[in-house]
Amino acid sequence: QDHDRWYSNHMVWNTATLNAPDQLRQRVAWALSSIFVVSGNSISRTEQVESWATYYDIFVAHAFNDFKTILKSVAFNPLMAEMLTFKGSKSLAYQVERNGVLLYPDENFAREIMQLFSIGLFMLNEDGTKVVDESTGEHIPTYTNSDVVNFSRGWTNFVDRQDQRDNIEAEWDL
């Protein structure tokens, strides 16, 4: 039967994952990929299966590593850079000097890395309940917008320098 390449790659992934001798590693990789999600809806390279396999390989390779190593590998991956829009983000100084406009760096990844991938929105007690400020009765946030702005400065000038390989997944009209 003729299948599209995604179906074929899912078949290969299922076979490799379900028959792998390192089942704990495979299950941890799957769990990590469910936390550090990239979506084809936000990425232009949906037809390039190799890019997606490389992204998933981060979790297989680092399944038992520390969180910092995993987060660094995810952060420097071109798929995450495109999905959370920090690819091509420029610093405020660059925008002013080159374009004469007051345009701040993209804050999307800086916010998501804190909100979704690490510390969350609110400080927590040891039992997982939210910490409440006794003077205001409000939940205490883990970061401010100023933190996001400062963090976003570090995620500027990233570009996808990986050359497209023209021998991968070519569409053939025979």
Side-chain angles (χ1 to χ4, degrees), residues 79-98:
L79 290 182
M80 185 61 75
E82 187 173 340
M83 187 178 124
L84 290 181
T85 64
F86 69 92
K87 179 178 132 183
S89 180
K90 302 295 183 197
S91 70
L92 175 63
Y94 177 90
Q95 295 290 4
V96 170
E97 290 172 13
R98 296 288 173 115

Side-chain angles (χ1 to χ4, degrees), residues 36-53:
F36 297 99
V37 175
V38 288
S39 167
N41 296 334
S42 305
I43 298 172
S44 63
R45 59 177 90 202
T46 56
E47 293 299 314
Q48 298 172 2
V49 177
E50 185 180 27
S51 300
W52 295 86

